[in-house]
Amino acid sequence: MAEDFWLLNRGLETRYVLKIKKKIHRQRIDKGVSQCHGGCAEVDSQTEAVAGEGFLLGCISCKKREEVSAQTTVDWHFKPMGEEEFRHIFHYDHPRADVLHDDFIDRLVWHGTQHRDIQIGAVYILNVTFNDTGTYRCTFNRNLNLPLPDEHVTVEKEVELTVVAVANRELAAVISEIVMYVLIVVLQLWLIAVLVYCYKKISNEHEAWEARKALKAQTGLLESKESCDGVQLE
């Protein structure tokens, strides 16, 4: 009896330990998942906008080490075509976005990262005009939180923007459309060729059938005539 009671307690302890280990393992997995960040890829901005429409000025600055947190602010400057000086037009310090030039009041909207550790500093221009043609410079001012004294990093990127009245079609789109039309024409010609081939085949088979039918009828007439001739001779 005592031995059975000892075995029962031993089994309960083993199951309890296993349960605790599973719980700790699950907590480690959840912690690892929560610390995982999405990848960052630096993609160049588009450079052609259409007058009267909206345009996204892209600007991405990826950190070299995702696990290092940072506090970042983003500034945009604009140099109109034909001028030498840049104008400070926009400043973002999460969660505040400030438009700093009268030409862009109510026309710039923040489309970047929505927290202080900014890696995407894109802004959206509403109702683009021809006066928006020029050079745009975005500047990341980043303070990295390191075990040693914090490190300050400044990253600058420029976008040469051209404003046109009508969007120019990309070469890839033109080639794709040409290929599509060529395929449509080729498929139609192939379909016509198949229909002609099938019509000729059916027509030839019908003519052959008619010929066989006529030959069979002619053979039947000859046989019947020979039978009649035989009866008369008798």
Side-chain angles (χ1 to χ4, degrees):
M1 184 70 179
E3 183 178 356
D4 293 340
F5 182 74
W6 180 83
L7 290 174
L8 178 63
N9 288 338
R10 188 67 176 175
L12 291 174
E13 290 176 0
T14 303
R15 278 185 287 178
Y16 179 76
V17 170
L18 290 175
K19 186 176 180 181
I20 293 297
K21 287 184 178 180
K22 288 182 180 179
K23 185 176 181 181
I24 294 174
H25 181 65
R26 190 181 301 113
Q27 288 177 348
R28 287 177 179 175
I29 293 176
D30 294 340
K31 184 178 179 181
V33 171
S34 65
Q35 290 178 349
C36 181
H37 300 281
C40 177
E42 297 190 7
V43 181
D44 293 335
S45 172
Q46 297 291 324
T47 58
E48 184 178 275
V50 179
E53 299 183 4
F55 182 78
L56 181 67
L57 276 171
C59 187
I60 302 176
S61 174
C62 299
K63 295 185 302 183
K64 294 182 179 180
R65 297 180 61 183
E66 288 286 341
E67 69 274 11
V68 178
S69 62
Q71 287 78 43
T72 308
T73 61
V74 177
D75 291 277
W76 278 92
H77 294 77
F78 171 56
K79 182 177 70 174
M81 185 174 59
E83 298 188 13
E84 298 295 331
E85 298 294 329
F86 278 91
R87 308 169 182 176
H88 195 186
I89 62 173
F90 187 83
H91 176 75
Y92 184 80
D93 187 358
H94 183 75
R96 182 173 177 176
D98 297 313
V99 181
L100 305 176
H101 196 278
D102 293 339
D103 292 344
F104 292 92
I105 294 295
D106 297 328
R107 294 180 57 227
L108 285 181
V109 181
W110 177 252
H111 270 223
T113 306
Q114 296 295 331
H115 52 77
R116 295 190 62 85
D117 194 354
I118 301 171
Q119 296 189 85
I120 301 176
V123 292
Y124 192 80
I125 306 177
L126 301 171
N127 191 23
V128 174
T129 68
F130 289 102
N131 293 329
D132 295 331
T133 300
T135 304
Y136 291 81
R137 177 188 294 164
C138 75
T139 305
F140 289 82
N141 295 296
R142 179 176 291 140
N143 287 316
L144 299 173
N145 299 325
L146 300 174
L148 300 175
D150 293 347
E151 180 181 353
H152 180 78
V153 178
T154 301
V155 179
E156 291 186 347
K157 295 177 177 286
E158 291 189 355
V159 180
E160 296 288 342
L161 182 63
T162 302
V163 180
V164 297
V166 180
N168 295 321
R169 301 182 63 188
E170 295 183 358
L171 180 60
V174 175
I175 294 175
S176 299
E177 187 172 349
I178 293 174
V179 171
M180 180 185 67
Y181 285 124
V182 170
L183 288 175
I184 291 174
V185 172
V186 170
L187 288 174
Q188 288 180 343
L189 293 175
W190 176 80
L191 181 60
I192 293 172
V194 170
L195 291 175
V196 171
Y197 170 78
C198 292
Y199 174 77
K200 287 184 176 181
K201 185 176 181 180
I202 293 173
S203 178
N204 292 335
E205 289 180 354
H206 180 71
E207 291 177 358
W209 180 79
E210 290 289 344
R212 288 195 300 271
K213 183 179 178 182
L215 180 61
K216 185 177 181 180
Q218 186 178 5
T219 304
L221 289 174
L222 291 174
E223 290 178 354
S224 62
K225 184 178 179 181
E226 290 177 356
S227 300
C228 291
D229 292 340
V231 171
Q232 292 177 357
L233 289 175
E234 290 176 0

